[in-house]
Amino acid sequence: MSTLFREDKRIINVGLQSFADSIVSAGGKSVQVDWTPPAGGNRVAGWSLAQLLNHPAVEHANEKAYAAFLAAQPVLAGIGVARAQMPGMDGRMVLHAGPPIAWQEMCGPMQGAVIGAILYEGWAADAEAARRLAEGGTIAFESAHHHATVGPMAGVISPSMPVWVIENAAGSNRAYSNMNEGLGKVLRFGANSPEVIKRLRWMAEVLAPALAAALAKSGPLELKPLIAQALQMGDEVHNRNAAASSLFLKKIVPAALHSGFDAAAIADAVTFIAGNDHFFLNLSMAACKSMLDAAHGVPGSSLVTAMSRNGVRFGIRLSGTGEQWFEAPSPVVGGLYFPSYGPEHAAPDMGDSSITETAGLGGFAMATAPAIVQFVGGTPQDAIASTREMRHITLGRNSAFTLPAINFSGTPAGIDARRVLDTNITPIINTGIAHKEAGVGQIGAGITRAPLECFTQAVIALASRVGVAVPGIVRSTRS
């Protein structure tokens, strides 16, 4: 005991930094532990979390939802026109990325993309007339997620656009996405000039029919094995799709050549795909949507089935809370900007592409994509650390998608909203950065995190649905 009192003492402080500062100012020594109470200190969310952890109904629901997610087998089954394929798509309707948002609230790039879609459809003669039409209330704007659909960045899809049709061969659900236009001035970044509209029409009149003919010859294309192979080749299938696009081309070209379709059209289509390393992105997104929708709608489940952003708000949905969105302001993405651009030029985080992270790919699989880490700002060690960190908030690892850099372990998959609150570790997302003004395009890429507030709302709402006692509260956002 006497030896103890003669030793140099240090006090370990957990929590408020001011306690440690007081000790130091009084001449003592303190070691500060970086710790935050669960749920970021939100009392109601913390209480809800305590009721839901190890709750038998939630555990059972998560087992069911997670099993459906893992079992899903997304297959490219067809290519069609949005109005003919997608449920509930009719009339003058325009779909957009992220949770529901009105025209007046949309950010610049999304408004620019909507104007482009109106011009593409021929509903207005010029951009100014298209803007007046959008403001006039005669066009229905709806979240793409409400139509089993996803689209990158602005995610704008109008009735005449061609879409991928993805079927879950292990279930009964379908998912859809538009086709990737490449880089530069493109609709998804809000560009709507004549060259943009011309390319969209070429995609509808030449690219989509040529690919449809090839697919008719080849038969349905399984996407899960293709994604798995791309992960082995250095893609994470969100920001990097170079390998996946090449693998897709390898699959589709022989069938296209033997399809009997117009040779010049096939040549144009193949040339377009070969020049666009992001071409597979929309397919990977739709595949992920297919897998997650298979797990959606299990009462009591805390599994996250969607994370998406509309350029103003970030939203998530849980399997066990139906169509309800839980929203917080979209963050501005931190990362590397192209020359002459910086955060002051950036639109807040936008796009449905975070569906890849929701499915355990993208930022969750960064360990496998060393070629991308410098582009988004970081090192290979950072990427491995990010993937390992995500294991703390997921229900398991997906053995269908393995990562060579960490001994071929499966990607962390199945985000559990409870674990996010319990650890205060929020899902990591690697993503492109759009200019805040329509039409400028991509100005960088980087890393961001899903806002914790979305998860606090979601866990509180789930507690209410499960029927556990939560004093005070319960608000959530939109349905």
Side-chain angles (χ1 to χ4, degrees), residues 317-396:
R317 296 201 300 183
L318 302 188
S319 174
T321 52
E323 302 305 301
Q324 195 169 8
W325 288 92
F326 307 98
E327 302 174 25
S330 282
V332 172
V333 179
L336 296 181
Y337 284 81
F338 300 159
S340 76
Y341 294 111
E344 68 276 16
H345 302 110
D349 195 19
M350 181 171 66
D352 288 331
S353 57
S354 48
I355 195 72
T356 57
E357 277 80 6
T358 318
L361 298 169
F364 282 49
M366 282 285 286
T368 200
I372 198 70
V373 293
Q374 284 190 315
F375 184 52
V376 297
T379 65
Q381 290 71 32
D382 293 333
I384 291 172
S386 295
T387 294
R388 286 180 166 154
E389 184 187 27
M390 294 301 101
R391 292 173 176 174
H392 296 291
I393 61 172
T394 50
L395 292 169

Side-chain angles (χ1 to χ4, degrees), residues 143-164:
S143 167
H145 272 282
H146 294 182
H147 297 263
T149 302
V150 284
M153 299 311 291
V156 164
I157 301 175
S158 60
S160 299
M161 290 183 180
V163 292
W164 300 113

Side-chain angles (χ1 to χ4, degrees), residues 205-273:
E205 295 165 4
V206 178
L207 178 65
L211 290 175
L215 193 62
K217 184 69 177 178
S218 69
L221 177 60
E222 293 186 26
L223 295 177
K224 219 167 176 176
L226 203 155
I227 291 173
Q229 190 175 356
L231 292 177
Q232 307 295 310
M233 298 167 68
D235 281 358
E236 37 68 76
V237 295
H238 182 174
N239 251 316
R240 190 175 194 275
N241 282 279
S245 297
S246 299
L247 291 170
F248 173 78
L249 203 56
K250 184 179 174 183
K251 292 278 186 184
I252 209 74
V253 165
L257 293 175
H258 292 91
S259 66
F261 200 74
D262 180 72
I266 291 172
D268 286 350
V270 170
T271 301
F272 178 78
I273 298 171

